[in-house]
Amino acid sequence: MSSISIIGLGNMAGALADRALAGGNAVEIIGRDPAKAKELAAALGGATVGTAGAAPAWDIVILAVPYASAAAVVSEYGDALQGKVIIDITNPVSPDFQGFVTPDGSSGAQEIAKAAPAGAHVVKAFNTLFSHVLAAGPAEGRLLDVFIAGDDAQAKTRVSAFIESLGLRPMDTGQLAMARTQENVALLQLGLVAHSVKHTNFFLGVSILS
């Protein structure tokens, strides 16, 4: 089992923490509002509460904050993230849902990696799952796929093991540069919501035929 620190107090933070605890993982909740962090930890049962800005207790850190503040949060923690695996779940989608706010040729994960200390390893994951779908888990007996991308093989192995502990299936897409493609998948989902599916009770995954 893994030990994870989650920075953020939103829906994805809660869904990830709940599934992590159910999978036997140790979970630390960190947020700028100590009262809300304690409230979330209490609602989950079994999670501990960390201090915003202090070094996260565990070596896998999930960045569950909006992309607009993600790089700033990583910079704020600075060397406290040295040697840690940082899971980026953000989607840097533009306000009109037609593109991205990141520079051409880059991704949210790559921009976050630039802000991280040299010894930290960023892995893109969970950005293509809606929070309520993640919270519900496997659908009709089919495991949810979690696409991951990263440059460090050991970091991806650790993230994959964590994903499996949640009852989900990790799908390695390659180097961190593939994070842009994963973010495009999230943009595709928003297009489906707007133009055909009309709701968010779905997920995109891989059907292996042979």
Side-chain angles (χ1 to χ4, degrees), residues 1 16-25 27 165-166:
M1 298 298 102
L16 283 164
D18 189 42
R19 293 203 68 82
L21 288 167
N25 302 282
V27 176
S165 79
L166 308 184

Side-chain angles (χ1 to χ4, degrees), residues 14-100:
L16 283 164
D18 189 42
R19 293 203 68 82
L21 288 167
N25 302 282
V27 176
E28 177 188 44
I29 301 293
I30 304 172
R32 292 189 183 279
D33 187 327
K36 288 185 178 180
K38 290 178 181 178
E39 181 180 344
L40 177 58
L44 292 165
T48 60
V49 178
T51 302
W58 306 118
D59 290 336
I60 295 179
V61 178
I62 299 179
L63 196 61
V65 298
Y67 175 73
S69 60
V73 169
V74 170
S75 295
E76 177 186 340
Y77 280 84
D79 288 341
L81 298 176
Q82 182 74 27
K84 297 188 183 294
V85 176
I86 301 171
I87 299 179
D88 165 38
I89 72 170
T90 68
N91 283 306
V93 177
S94 60
D96 62 3
F97 299 145
Q98 298 301 305
F100 301 101

